[in-house]
Amino acid sequence: MNQWQSLPKSRRHLIKLVQTYTLKALQPLRKWCIQPIRSWSHRHSSWGFICLFLVGVSLSVMMTACSSRNADNAGNAGATSKSDVTLTFVSYSVTNAAYQQIIPKFIEKWKKEHNQNITFNQSYDGSGSQTLAVIDGKEADVVHLSLALDINKIVEAGFIQPGWEKEAPNDAIVTKSLNAIAIRKGNPKNIKTWADLAQDGVKVVTADPRTSGGARWNFLSLWGSVTKTGGNENQAINFISKVYKNVPLLPKTARNASELFFKEGQGDVLLNYENEMISLAQQDGEKVPYIVPDVNISIDNPVAVVDKNVEKHGTRSVAEAFIKFLYTPDSQREFAKLGFRPVDLTIAKEVEGNFPQIKTLFKAQDLGGWNEIQKKFFDEGAIFDKIQAKKF
């Protein structure tokens, strides 16, 4: 019988416990631990075993706690991480040019402050289409969409927590714009106001309200041009019906509509964002003739963190910092350069001379808010569908 077997059963059991907890904490030193522990056991009392046992337990607990903290830190990509953070950013089509200027500045700022590289996965499409994509599984960390209705749909699907409007400044509205009418050089159709779009022989290009947030804003400007100047709803329906009879097709996005008008030469006029007209003029290097009617709607574009996805990806701190960056003077100036009306009042004052003044400006809230607007105008069988049915 060897020395180990000659020990009392209770003492062998205690030694095994010491081995278990001590070696759990000191796994890399395993081969150096077992024999010294056994040898030590022949020369010391049971109280010594107990002390050694408690030391092993303590070491194990500390190692477990450290491992847990390390796992948490890894999930959140701490300040010493280098290049393991990816942020998925989803927005509507006409913001693309602005973000090509803003995102590199944020990446540089974050790197300087946190010594961490960020890779952005960017996606730009119609606001309505992007909304459906996020709901269907596109794992956006941050969304900047054309209208609050689209973000509310993501809330209803369980991806964003209610109250998102209060998580960022200005009720989470990060950019503003107005509706504009692009015309052909020399204005051969003599277009001056919304009313002129109902004339016979005027071919109108606008996107589809079922997929494009910009197209919904277009529709609401047409509606308000009647109801906010003394007309009733029947008059508004008759007017918009005439305008949409002049719309030969409905492209998916506001950017698609711009391409049809400017690149393919389709249509006499284009309905789109004011910022889109300004941005395209800068890209093409020539002035785009357009009109900003003095009865117009304030196009308020919101931004939000997609709570469910940032929790999954461990990217909340980066996502929230990115949204905060969009409200800085630097970012607001970049938006303004590309035709967006800044929400920062100081920057708005700086650039006010670049934008025409509006006589009658109304908001979505003046039409009942987006839930009422959706139900009244854009749900299946609502006013837009009825107007479309009259075309055929």
mmCIF file of all heavy atoms in Angstrom, residues 88-100 103 121-131 133-134 138 140-147 150 174-175 211 253 273 301-303 322 326 335 340:
data_model
loop_
_atom_site.group_PDB
_atom_site.id
_atom_site.type_symbol
_atom_site.label_atom_id
_atom_site.label_comp_id
_atom_site.label_asym_id
_atom_site.label_seq_id
_atom_site.Cartn_x
_atom_site.Cartn_y
_atom_site.Cartn_z
ATOM 1 N N THR A 88 -23.517 48.548 -37.893
ATOM 2 C CA THR A 88 -24.373 48.488 -39.080
ATOM 3 C C THR A 88 -25.319 49.676 -39.063
ATOM 4 O O THR A 88 -26.106 49.843 -38.136
ATOM 5 C CB THR A 88 -25.156 47.167 -39.119
ATOM 6 O OG1 THR A 88 -24.225 46.081 -39.168
ATOM 7 C CG2 THR A 88 -26.045 47.111 -40.353
ATOM 8 N N PHE A 89 -25.230 50.481 -40.102
ATOM 9 C CA PHE A 89 -25.982 51.732 -40.196
ATOM 10 C C PHE A 89 -26.911 51.676 -41.400
ATOM 11 O O PHE A 89 -26.483 51.384 -42.517
ATOM 12 C CB PHE A 89 -25.027 52.918 -40.321
ATOM 13 C CG PHE A 89 -25.712 54.228 -40.532
ATOM 14 C CD1 PHE A 89 -26.573 54.741 -39.579
ATOM 15 C CD2 PHE A 89 -25.509 54.956 -41.699
ATOM 16 C CE1 PHE A 89 -27.222 55.958 -39.783
ATOM 17 C CE2 PHE A 89 -26.142 56.166 -41.909
ATOM 18 C CZ PHE A 89 -27.009 56.668 -40.939
ATOM 19 N N VAL A 90 -28.195 51.939 -41.160
ATOM 20 C CA VAL A 90 -29.217 51.864 -42.198
ATOM 21 C C VAL A 90 -29.895 53.221 -42.320
ATOM 22 O O VAL A 90 -30.330 53.798 -41.321
ATOM 23 C CB VAL A 90 -30.248 50.768 -41.859
ATOM 24 C CG1 VAL A 90 -31.471 50.871 -42.748
ATOM 25 C CG2 VAL A 90 -29.616 49.388 -41.991
ATOM 26 N N SER A 91 -29.991 53.730 -43.550
ATOM 27 C CA SER A 91 -30.619 55.033 -43.750
ATOM 28 C C SER A 91 -31.363 55.053 -45.079
ATOM 29 O O SER A 91 -31.305 54.101 -45.861
ATOM 30 C CB SER A 91 -29.569 56.144 -43.704
ATOM 31 O OG SER A 91 -30.174 57.424 -43.677
ATOM 32 N N TYR A 92 -32.065 56.142 -45.313
ATOM 33 C CA TYR A 92 -32.800 56.274 -46.570
ATOM 34 C C TYR A 92 -31.889 56.859 -47.640
ATOM 35 O O TYR A 92 -30.846 57.450 -47.362
ATOM 36 C CB TYR A 92 -34.083 57.081 -46.390
ATOM 37 C CG TYR A 92 -33.923 58.516 -45.941
ATOM 38 C CD1 TYR A 92 -34.149 59.561 -46.827
ATOM 39 C CD2 TYR A 92 -33.587 58.826 -44.628
ATOM 40 C CE1 TYR A 92 -34.037 60.883 -46.414
ATOM 41 C CE2 TYR A 92 -33.467 60.139 -44.208
ATOM 42 C CZ TYR A 92 -33.690 61.159 -45.106
ATOM 43 O OH TYR A 92 -33.571 62.468 -44.697
ATOM 44 N N SER A 93 -32.279 56.702 -48.904
ATOM 45 C CA SER A 93 -31.331 56.803 -50.015
ATOM 46 C C SER A 93 -30.607 58.135 -50.119
ATOM 47 O O SER A 93 -29.401 58.171 -50.369
ATOM 48 C CB SER A 93 -32.055 56.505 -51.335
ATOM 49 O OG SER A 93 -33.167 57.357 -51.511
ATOM 50 N N VAL A 94 -31.287 59.260 -49.912
ATOM 51 C CA VAL A 94 -30.669 60.534 -50.241
ATOM 52 C C VAL A 94 -29.724 61.062 -49.154
ATOM 53 O O VAL A 94 -29.135 62.127 -49.321
ATOM 54 C CB VAL A 94 -31.728 61.604 -50.582
ATOM 55 C CG1 VAL A 94 -32.574 61.168 -51.743
ATOM 56 C CG2 VAL A 94 -32.599 61.927 -49.380
ATOM 57 N N THR A 95 -29.558 60.332 -48.058
ATOM 58 C CA THR A 95 -28.585 60.756 -47.041
ATOM 59 C C THR A 95 -27.168 60.275 -47.356
ATOM 60 O O THR A 95 -26.217 60.683 -46.694
ATOM 61 C CB THR A 95 -28.966 60.231 -45.642
ATOM 62 O OG1 THR A 95 -28.860 58.795 -45.643
ATOM 63 C CG2 THR A 95 -30.373 60.644 -45.251
ATOM 64 N N ASN A 96 -27.039 59.432 -48.352
ATOM 65 C CA ASN A 96 -25.769 58.749 -48.616
ATOM 66 C C ASN A 96 -24.597 59.719 -48.732
ATOM 67 O O ASN A 96 -23.561 59.548 -48.082
ATOM 68 C CB ASN A 96 -25.912 57.924 -49.905
ATOM 69 C CG ASN A 96 -24.765 56.944 -50.096
ATOM 70 O OD1 ASN A 96 -23.668 57.147 -49.585
ATOM 71 N ND2 ASN A 96 -25.011 55.898 -50.851
ATOM 72 N N ALA A 97 -24.760 60.755 -49.553
ATOM 73 C CA ALA A 97 -23.649 61.671 -49.797
ATOM 74 C C ALA A 97 -23.195 62.365 -48.512
ATOM 75 O O ALA A 97 -21.993 62.551 -48.290
ATOM 76 C CB ALA A 97 -24.053 62.704 -50.846
ATOM 77 N N ALA A 98 -24.130 62.740 -47.671
ATOM 78 C CA ALA A 98 -23.774 63.403 -46.414
ATOM 79 C C ALA A 98 -22.978 62.468 -45.517
ATOM 80 O O ALA A 98 -21.975 62.875 -44.900
ATOM 81 C CB ALA A 98 -25.028 63.892 -45.699
ATOM 82 N N TYR A 99 -23.392 61.213 -45.448
ATOM 83 C CA TYR A 99 -22.707 60.281 -44.545
ATOM 84 C C TYR A 99 -21.325 59.876 -45.043
ATOM 85 O O TYR A 99 -20.488 59.449 -44.245
ATOM 86 C CB TYR A 99 -23.585 59.062 -44.283
ATOM 87 C CG TYR A 99 -24.604 59.346 -43.208
ATOM 88 C CD1 TYR A 99 -25.962 59.443 -43.500
ATOM 89 C CD2 TYR A 99 -24.206 59.563 -41.895
ATOM 90 C CE1 TYR A 99 -26.899 59.738 -42.514
ATOM 91 C CE2 TYR A 99 -25.116 59.863 -40.899
ATOM 92 C CZ TYR A 99 -26.458 59.947 -41.210
ATOM 93 O OH TYR A 99 -27.371 60.251 -40.232
ATOM 94 N N GLN A 100 -21.073 60.030 -46.320
ATOM 95 C CA GLN A 100 -19.716 59.758 -46.801
ATOM 96 C C GLN A 100 -18.726 60.786 -46.261
ATOM 97 O O GLN A 100 -17.517 60.546 -46.250
ATOM 98 C CB GLN A 100 -19.682 59.721 -48.329
ATOM 99 C CG GLN A 100 -20.574 58.660 -48.943
ATOM 100 C CD GLN A 100 -20.578 57.348 -48.177
ATOM 101 O OE1 GLN A 100 -19.522 56.733 -47.986
ATOM 102 N NE2 GLN A 100 -21.743 56.899 -47.740
ATOM 103 N N ILE A 103 -19.272 59.997 -41.579
ATOM 104 C CA ILE A 103 -18.810 58.747 -40.972
ATOM 105 C C ILE A 103 -17.289 58.693 -40.812
ATOM 106 O O ILE A 103 -16.791 58.311 -39.743
ATOM 107 C CB ILE A 103 -19.365 57.534 -41.744
ATOM 108 C CG1 ILE A 103 -20.855 57.365 -41.430
ATOM 109 C CG2 ILE A 103 -18.594 56.259 -41.405
ATOM 110 C CD1 ILE A 103 -21.553 56.275 -42.212
ATOM 111 N N ASN A 121 -20.864 49.081 -41.646
ATOM 112 C CA ASN A 121 -21.652 48.484 -42.722
ATOM 113 C C ASN A 121 -22.795 49.446 -43.019
ATOM 114 O O ASN A 121 -23.646 49.681 -42.168
ATOM 115 C CB ASN A 121 -22.225 47.123 -42.300
ATOM 116 C CG ASN A 121 -21.176 46.042 -42.281
ATOM 117 O OD1 ASN A 121 -20.163 46.135 -42.974
ATOM 118 N ND2 ASN A 121 -21.386 45.002 -41.482
ATOM 119 N N GLN A 122 -22.820 50.011 -44.221
ATOM 120 C CA GLN A 122 -23.794 51.044 -44.554
ATOM 121 C C GLN A 122 -24.793 50.532 -45.581
ATOM 122 O O GLN A 122 -24.425 49.820 -46.518
ATOM 123 C CB GLN A 122 -23.083 52.277 -45.112
ATOM 124 C CG GLN A 122 -22.054 52.875 -44.179
ATOM 125 C CD GLN A 122 -21.289 54.007 -44.824
ATOM 126 O OE1 GLN A 122 -21.874 54.979 -45.321
ATOM 127 N NE2 GLN A 122 -19.957 53.905 -44.837
ATOM 128 N N SER A 123 -26.049 50.939 -45.416
ATOM 129 C CA SER A 123 -27.100 50.551 -46.349
ATOM 130 C C SER A 123 -28.017 51.747 -46.589
ATOM 131 O O SER A 123 -28.469 52.388 -45.643
ATOM 132 C CB SER A 123 -27.905 49.375 -45.776
ATOM 133 O OG SER A 123 -29.005 49.073 -46.609
ATOM 134 N N TYR A 124 -28.292 52.035 -47.874
ATOM 135 C CA TYR A 124 -29.146 53.159 -48.245
ATOM 136 C C TYR A 124 -30.187 52.687 -49.251
ATOM 137 O O TYR A 124 -29.858 52.062 -50.258
ATOM 138 C CB TYR A 124 -28.301 54.291 -48.850
ATOM 139 C CG TYR A 124 -27.224 54.789 -47.913
ATOM 140 C CD1 TYR A 124 -25.943 54.236 -47.956
ATOM 141 C CD2 TYR A 124 -27.496 55.769 -46.971
ATOM 142 C CE1 TYR A 124 -24.958 54.665 -47.072
ATOM 143 C CE2 TYR A 124 -26.515 56.201 -46.080
ATOM 144 C CZ TYR A 124 -25.253 55.651 -46.136
ATOM 145 O OH TYR A 124 -24.288 56.074 -45.266
ATOM 146 N N ASP A 125 -31.451 52.993 -48.941
ATOM 147 C CA ASP A 125 -32.559 52.575 -49.809
ATOM 148 C C ASP A 125 -33.772 53.399 -49.404
ATOM 149 O O ASP A 125 -33.680 54.262 -48.522
ATOM 150 C CB ASP A 125 -32.820 51.074 -49.649
ATOM 151 C CG ASP A 125 -33.530 50.469 -50.859
ATOM 152 O OD1 ASP A 125 -34.035 51.239 -51.708
ATOM 153 O OD2 ASP A 125 -33.590 49.235 -50.958
ATOM 154 N N GLY A 126 -34.917 53.144 -50.032
ATOM 155 C CA GLY A 126 -36.131 53.842 -49.639
ATOM 156 C C GLY A 126 -36.432 53.616 -48.164
ATOM 157 O O GLY A 126 -36.225 52.522 -47.635
ATOM 158 N N SER A 127 -36.940 54.648 -47.486
ATOM 159 C CA SER A 127 -37.164 54.551 -46.051
ATOM 160 C C SER A 127 -38.126 53.420 -45.698
ATOM 161 O O SER A 127 -37.892 52.657 -44.760
ATOM 162 C CB SER A 127 -37.707 55.887 -45.521
ATOM 163 O OG SER A 127 -37.778 55.888 -44.121
ATOM 164 N N GLY A 128 -39.206 53.290 -46.455
ATOM 165 C CA GLY A 128 -40.153 52.212 -46.194
ATOM 166 C C GLY A 128 -39.537 50.843 -46.399
ATOM 167 O O GLY A 128 -39.769 49.910 -45.618
ATOM 168 N N SER A 129 -38.727 50.720 -47.447
ATOM 169 C CA SER A 129 -38.061 49.450 -47.717
ATOM 170 C C SER A 129 -37.048 49.109 -46.626
ATOM 171 O O SER A 129 -36.927 47.954 -46.206
ATOM 172 C CB SER A 129 -37.351 49.508 -49.075
ATOM 173 O OG SER A 129 -38.286 49.695 -50.115
ATOM 174 N N GLN A 130 -36.331 50.108 -46.150
ATOM 175 C CA GLN A 130 -35.364 49.879 -45.084
ATOM 176 C C GLN A 130 -36.051 49.443 -43.793
ATOM 177 O O GLN A 130 -35.547 48.597 -43.056
ATOM 178 C CB GLN A 130 -34.537 51.149 -44.832
ATOM 179 C CG GLN A 130 -33.620 51.544 -45.982
ATOM 180 C CD GLN A 130 -32.418 50.621 -46.119
ATOM 181 O OE1 GLN A 130 -32.574 49.408 -46.307
ATOM 182 N NE2 GLN A 130 -31.236 51.178 -46.042
ATOM 183 N N THR A 131 -37.196 50.033 -43.538
ATOM 184 C CA THR A 131 -37.966 49.653 -42.350
ATOM 185 C C THR A 131 -38.322 48.174 -42.388
ATOM 186 O O THR A 131 -38.116 47.442 -41.411
ATOM 187 C CB THR A 131 -39.243 50.503 -42.265
ATOM 188 O OG1 THR A 131 -38.880 51.879 -42.177
ATOM 189 C CG2 THR A 131 -40.085 50.117 -41.058
ATOM 190 N N ALA A 133 -36.854 45.893 -44.105
ATOM 191 C CA ALA A 133 -35.626 45.093 -44.060
ATOM 192 C C ALA A 133 -35.157 44.879 -42.621
ATOM 193 O O ALA A 133 -34.746 43.773 -42.245
ATOM 194 C CB ALA A 133 -34.534 45.764 -44.880
ATOM 195 N N VAL A 134 -35.206 45.927 -41.806
ATOM 196 C CA VAL A 134 -34.800 45.796 -40.402
ATOM 197 C C VAL A 134 -35.733 44.837 -39.668
ATOM 198 O O VAL A 134 -35.300 43.970 -38.908
ATOM 199 C CB VAL A 134 -34.765 47.168 -39.715
ATOM 200 C CG1 VAL A 134 -34.523 47.020 -38.206
ATOM 201 C CG2 VAL A 134 -33.684 48.047 -40.327
ATOM 202 N N LYS A 138 -32.496 42.513 -41.099
ATOM 203 C CA LYS A 138 -31.270 43.279 -41.306
ATOM 204 C C LYS A 138 -30.856 43.867 -39.961
ATOM 205 O O LYS A 138 -31.573 44.676 -39.385
ATOM 206 C CB LYS A 138 -31.477 44.400 -42.332
ATOM 207 C CG LYS A 138 -30.220 45.214 -42.605
ATOM 208 C CD LYS A 138 -30.468 46.306 -43.645
ATOM 209 C CE LYS A 138 -30.562 45.720 -45.038
ATOM 210 N NZ LYS A 138 -30.622 46.786 -46.068
ATOM 211 N N ALA A 140 -29.499 46.176 -38.157
ATOM 212 C CA ALA A 140 -29.037 47.553 -38.003
ATOM 213 C C ALA A 140 -28.815 47.881 -36.538
ATOM 214 O O ALA A 140 -29.622 47.523 -35.675
ATOM 215 C CB ALA A 140 -30.057 48.514 -38.598
ATOM 216 N N ASP A 141 -27.726 48.579 -36.258
ATOM 217 C CA ASP A 141 -27.482 49.115 -34.922
ATOM 218 C C ASP A 141 -28.075 50.511 -34.783
ATOM 219 O O ASP A 141 -28.541 50.887 -33.710
ATOM 220 C CB ASP A 141 -25.979 49.179 -34.641
ATOM 221 C CG ASP A 141 -25.326 47.810 -34.647
ATOM 222 O OD1 ASP A 141 -25.701 46.983 -33.786
ATOM 223 O OD2 ASP A 141 -24.459 47.551 -35.496
ATOM 224 N N VAL A 142 -28.031 51.275 -35.873
ATOM 225 C CA VAL A 142 -28.565 52.644 -35.896
ATOM 226 C C VAL A 142 -29.359 52.819 -37.176
ATOM 227 O O VAL A 142 -28.941 52.359 -38.248
ATOM 228 C CB VAL A 142 -27.434 53.689 -35.841
ATOM 229 C CG1 VAL A 142 -27.986 55.107 -35.959
ATOM 230 C CG2 VAL A 142 -26.620 53.549 -34.561
ATOM 231 N N VAL A 143 -30.517 53.480 -37.073
ATOM 232 C CA VAL A 143 -31.311 53.819 -38.253
ATOM 233 C C VAL A 143 -31.539 55.329 -38.298
ATOM 234 O O VAL A 143 -31.793 55.957 -37.279
ATOM 235 C CB VAL A 143 -32.669 53.083 -38.280
ATOM 236 C CG1 VAL A 143 -32.476 51.601 -38.514
ATOM 237 C CG2 VAL A 143 -33.466 53.329 -37.005
ATOM 238 N N HIS A 144 -31.416 55.890 -39.488
ATOM 239 C CA HIS A 144 -31.792 57.284 -39.760
ATOM 240 C C HIS A 144 -32.762 57.211 -40.935
ATOM 241 O O HIS A 144 -32.355 56.923 -42.059
ATOM 242 C CB HIS A 144 -30.548 58.102 -40.109
ATOM 243 C CG HIS A 144 -30.843 59.529 -40.464
ATOM 244 N ND1 HIS A 144 -29.888 60.373 -40.978
ATOM 245 C CD2 HIS A 144 -31.984 60.278 -40.387
ATOM 246 C CE1 HIS A 144 -30.404 61.580 -41.191
ATOM 247 N NE2 HIS A 144 -31.677 61.530 -40.851
ATOM 248 N N LEU A 145 -34.036 57.413 -40.656
ATOM 249 C CA LEU A 145 -35.071 57.205 -41.654
ATOM 250 C C LEU A 145 -35.782 58.511 -41.988
ATOM 251 O O LEU A 145 -35.581 59.537 -41.339
ATOM 252 C CB LEU A 145 -36.051 56.135 -41.172
ATOM 253 C CG LEU A 145 -35.402 54.758 -40.934
ATOM 254 C CD1 LEU A 145 -36.414 53.769 -40.378
ATOM 255 C CD2 LEU A 145 -34.770 54.206 -42.217
ATOM 256 N N SER A 146 -36.605 58.442 -43.002
ATOM 257 C CA SER A 146 -37.221 59.662 -43.513
ATOM 258 C C SER A 146 -38.312 60.202 -42.606
ATOM 259 O O SER A 146 -38.529 61.411 -42.551
ATOM 260 C CB SER A 146 -37.800 59.402 -44.914
ATOM 261 O OG SER A 146 -38.470 60.530 -45.404
ATOM 262 N N LEU A 147 -38.993 59.311 -41.882
ATOM 263 C CA LEU A 147 -40.120 59.774 -41.075
ATOM 264 C C LEU A 147 -40.303 58.900 -39.836
ATOM 265 O O LEU A 147 -39.895 57.743 -39.796
ATOM 266 C CB LEU A 147 -41.401 59.807 -41.914
ATOM 267 C CG LEU A 147 -41.659 58.653 -42.900
ATOM 268 C CD1 LEU A 147 -42.399 57.551 -42.215
ATOM 269 C CD2 LEU A 147 -42.413 59.177 -44.104
ATOM 270 N N ASP A 150 -41.854 55.251 -39.776
ATOM 271 C CA ASP A 150 -41.059 54.067 -40.065
ATOM 272 C C ASP A 150 -40.345 53.543 -38.821
ATOM 273 O O ASP A 150 -40.268 52.336 -38.603
ATOM 274 C CB ASP A 150 -40.052 54.386 -41.175
ATOM 275 C CG ASP A 150 -40.728 54.525 -42.536
ATOM 276 O OD1 ASP A 150 -41.847 53.994 -42.699
ATOM 277 O OD2 ASP A 150 -40.155 55.173 -43.430
ATOM 278 N N VAL A 174 -32.851 64.628 -36.517
ATOM 279 C CA VAL A 174 -31.454 64.993 -36.718
ATOM 280 C C VAL A 174 -31.245 65.823 -37.985
ATOM 281 O O VAL A 174 -30.249 66.548 -38.102
ATOM 282 C CB VAL A 174 -30.560 63.732 -36.739
ATOM 283 C CG1 VAL A 174 -30.777 62.906 -38.002
ATOM 284 C CG2 VAL A 174 -29.098 64.087 -36.544
ATOM 285 N N THR A 175 -32.174 65.741 -38.955
ATOM 286 C CA THR A 175 -32.109 66.565 -40.157
ATOM 287 C C THR A 175 -33.508 67.023 -40.539
ATOM 288 O O THR A 175 -34.509 66.389 -40.171
ATOM 289 C CB THR A 175 -31.504 65.808 -41.355
ATOM 290 O OG1 THR A 175 -32.212 64.571 -41.558
ATOM 291 C CG2 THR A 175 -30.033 65.501 -41.147
ATOM 292 N N THR A 211 -43.139 52.698 -50.681
ATOM 293 C CA THR A 211 -41.767 52.282 -50.402
ATOM 294 C C THR A 211 -40.844 53.441 -50.036
ATOM 295 O O THR A 211 -39.788 53.226 -49.437
ATOM 296 C CB THR A 211 -41.150 51.565 -51.620
ATOM 297 O OG1 THR A 211 -41.248 52.425 -52.771
ATOM 298 C CG2 THR A 211 -41.880 50.263 -51.900
ATOM 299 N N THR A 253 -37.541 54.522 -54.871
ATOM 300 C CA THR A 253 -36.948 55.452 -53.918
ATOM 301 C C THR A 253 -36.872 56.860 -54.495
ATOM 302 O O THR A 253 -36.975 57.068 -55.707
ATOM 303 C CB THR A 253 -35.521 55.024 -53.519
ATOM 304 O OG1 THR A 253 -34.624 55.276 -54.618
ATOM 305 C CG2 THR A 253 -35.466 53.557 -53.135
ATOM 306 N N TYR A 273 -36.918 65.905 -52.332
ATOM 307 C CA TYR A 273 -36.424 66.743 -51.242
ATOM 308 C C TYR A 273 -35.644 67.944 -51.786
ATOM 309 O O TYR A 273 -34.910 67.829 -52.772
ATOM 310 C CB TYR A 273 -35.473 65.946 -50.351
ATOM 311 C CG TYR A 273 -36.013 64.710 -49.712
ATOM 312 C CD1 TYR A 273 -35.684 63.443 -50.209
ATOM 313 C CD2 TYR A 273 -36.815 64.785 -48.580
ATOM 314 C CE1 TYR A 273 -36.137 62.289 -49.587
ATOM 315 C CE2 TYR A 273 -37.280 63.629 -47.950
ATOM 316 C CZ TYR A 273 -36.933 62.391 -48.468
ATOM 317 O OH TYR A 273 -37.382 61.248 -47.849
ATOM 318 N N ASN A 301 -36.586 64.303 -40.119
ATOM 319 C CA ASN A 301 -36.001 62.965 -40.275
ATOM 320 C C ASN A 301 -35.380 62.483 -38.968
ATOM 321 O O ASN A 301 -34.428 63.087 -38.474
ATOM 322 C CB ASN A 301 -34.927 62.978 -41.363
ATOM 323 C CG ASN A 301 -35.349 63.755 -42.601
ATOM 324 O OD1 ASN A 301 -34.637 64.642 -43.028
ATOM 325 N ND2 ASN A 301 -36.504 63.447 -43.160
ATOM 326 N N PRO A 302 -35.890 61.388 -38.394
ATOM 327 C CA PRO A 302 -35.430 60.919 -37.079
ATOM 328 C C PRO A 302 -34.320 59.877 -37.150
ATOM 329 O O PRO A 302 -34.116 59.207 -38.166
ATOM 330 C CB PRO A 302 -36.700 60.312 -36.483
ATOM 331 C CG PRO A 302 -37.417 59.763 -37.685
ATOM 332 C CD PRO A 302 -37.099 60.684 -38.833
ATOM 333 N N VAL A 303 -33.645 59.728 -36.012
ATOM 334 C CA VAL A 303 -32.579 58.744 -35.868
ATOM 335 C C VAL A 303 -32.814 57.977 -34.574
ATOM 336 O O VAL A 303 -33.362 58.521 -33.610
ATOM 337 C CB VAL A 303 -31.199 59.450 -35.864
ATOM 338 C CG1 VAL A 303 -31.041 60.343 -34.655
ATOM 339 C CG2 VAL A 303 -30.053 58.460 -35.957
ATOM 340 N N PHE A 322 -22.283 57.614 -31.801
ATOM 341 C CA PHE A 322 -22.446 58.012 -33.197
ATOM 342 C C PHE A 322 -23.646 58.952 -33.349
ATOM 343 O O PHE A 322 -23.555 59.993 -34.014
ATOM 344 C CB PHE A 322 -22.615 56.775 -34.074
ATOM 345 C CG PHE A 322 -22.846 57.086 -35.527
ATOM 346 C CD1 PHE A 322 -21.918 57.830 -36.239
ATOM 347 C CD2 PHE A 322 -23.988 56.641 -36.174
ATOM 348 C CE1 PHE A 322 -22.116 58.122 -37.590
ATOM 349 C CE2 PHE A 322 -24.196 56.933 -37.514
ATOM 350 C CZ PHE A 322 -23.268 57.665 -38.222
ATOM 351 N N LEU A 326 -23.857 63.098 -34.530
ATOM 352 C CA LEU A 326 -24.645 63.675 -35.623
ATOM 353 C C LEU A 326 -25.214 65.046 -35.277
ATOM 354 O O LEU A 326 -25.570 65.811 -36.171
ATOM 355 C CB LEU A 326 -25.781 62.724 -36.014
ATOM 356 C CG LEU A 326 -25.370 61.336 -36.491
ATOM 357 C CD1 LEU A 326 -26.600 60.528 -36.878
ATOM 358 C CD2 LEU A 326 -24.384 61.423 -37.662
ATOM 359 N N PHE A 335 -24.242 68.177 -43.040
ATOM 360 C CA PHE A 335 -25.604 68.010 -43.548
ATOM 361 C C PHE A 335 -26.030 69.250 -44.338
ATOM 362 O O PHE A 335 -26.636 69.146 -45.412
ATOM 363 C CB PHE A 335 -26.577 67.778 -42.392
ATOM 364 C CG PHE A 335 -26.567 66.384 -41.825
ATOM 365 C CD1 PHE A 335 -26.380 66.169 -40.467
ATOM 366 C CD2 PHE A 335 -26.760 65.281 -42.649
ATOM 367 C CE1 PHE A 335 -26.385 64.884 -39.940
ATOM 368 C CE2 PHE A 335 -26.770 63.987 -42.136
ATOM 369 C CZ PHE A 335 -26.580 63.790 -40.775
ATOM 370 N N PHE A 340 -29.426 69.768 -46.429
ATOM 371 C CA PHE A 340 -30.329 69.573 -45.302
ATOM 372 C C PHE A 340 -30.387 70.859 -44.474
ATOM 373 O O PHE A 340 -29.376 71.555 -44.325
ATOM 374 C CB PHE A 340 -29.858 68.420 -44.413
ATOM 375 C CG PHE A 340 -29.961 67.070 -45.051
ATOM 376 C CD1 PHE A 340 -28.880 66.510 -45.717
ATOM 377 C CD2 PHE A 340 -31.147 66.347 -44.992
ATOM 378 C CE1 PHE A 340 -28.978 65.268 -46.304
ATOM 379 C CE2 PHE A 340 -31.250 65.099 -45.575
ATOM 380 C CZ PHE A 340 -30.170 64.555 -46.239
#
